[in-house]
Amino acid sequence: MSSNKMSRRKFIATVGGVAVVAGVSGGILYEVFRPKLITELPRHVAPNAYTQDGKSLLSIVKGTSDTNVETMVREALDAIGGIDRVVSSGKRVVVKPAVLNNQPYVAPDPHVVAEVARLAMEAGGTVVVAECSGGGDTSYCMQVQGITSAVQAVGATVRYLNTESQIQIAVPNGVTLHDVKTFPTIYDCDVLISVPRLKRHFSPTPTVTISLKNMMGVVPLSEMNRFHNMGLSQCIADVNTVMKPNLTVVDATYAMARSGPDDGDPIEMDTIMASGDPVAIDLIGAQKLMELEQQHGIPTSDYPDYTNIAHINAAATLGVGTNNPDNITIVERNLS
């Protein structure tokens, strides 16, 4: 008499290694499903499009509390050559804001995110604003921060990455990571734009959370936890080799000083920064944050100098960008 039951061994063979036995709990067999490993790099991984004479271009636009934020974003992008250096007709664009949770000044200003999305659409891109929050429900956090409504108002799509299936991609040049899980929206995009707020990070490392660390939000929570257990700084650098943003726009209208990534002191800077080099913009952003804290009497002795931040230097070593100030051309504009 034949049986319709499938043996454990046959089940695993049938799925071709996609499912692996993880163990037995309470006498019940359970499996862990692993996506098939993808070895091809995402299409958006490309050389820095914003260079001049072999140096990374970086803009710093300074305004006042009365300056239109959208104007500042446009000026910052125009100063390095415009968004159309990376976005053109038909390109699938992901704008990735850093939305840790729903607390004030944790996420970038929704007007900054929406303007980046609008400019990308104006350049012909099909734009999705996407995030996977590490400190709360992504949908709730994006809505409370005002990003969902601001983005929808300009006609872009909002996508909560934690609702997607996961894919696993190889990290061929990783020091600690050799593979990482991400989401189809991120893997399939042609252009990835990072939009963080300039913030302090209260731990020995990484000490700032700007563009490089924003890529923590393109992986699921399980991977975020893995990064912390394996050595966060190197994992941030490793993941940026396969999820490197083509463009970064930093919201420093208010910077979070003293502590972070939440519960810090919001200090008005009235500044927008932009670059195609996430390492360079993190380096200069860290410098500006330290200078701001010193101006306001906030002790910075607990943090390493901006030239000695582990994940920034590790990313430079892996070729993600440059941490050498001599290889960075800074274009400054004052709108005040």
Side-chain angles (χ1 to χ4, degrees), residues 41 44-49 51 54 56 171-175 212 234 236-245 276-280 310-324 327:
L41 290 177
H44 72 262
V45 177
N48 181 10
T51 61
S56 292
V171 185
N173 296 320
V175 174
L212 292 167
Q234 188 61 57
I236 290 171
D238 288 355
V239 82
N240 271 271
T241 64
V242 292
M243 255 86 78
K244 173 186 172 182
D277 185 333
V279 176
H311 72 283
I312 295 177
N313 292 342
T317 299
L318 290 174
V320 176
T322 182
N323 62 347
N324 183 351
N327 292 329

Side-chain angles (χ1 to χ4, degrees), residues 62 79 192 203 223 243 253 294 296 298 312 318:
K62 179 74 175 175
L192 180 59
S203 69
E223 292 289 71
M243 255 86 78
T253 52
Q294 292 169 347
H296 286 264
I298 298 173
I312 295 177
L318 290 174

Side-chain angles (χ1 to χ4, degrees), residues 288-304:
K288 297 301 179 183
L289 181 59
M290 182 168 284
E291 291 172 354
L292 180 74
E293 289 171 327
Q294 292 169 347
Q295 291 167 9
H296 286 264
I298 298 173
T300 58
S301 57
D302 290 340
Y303 300 101

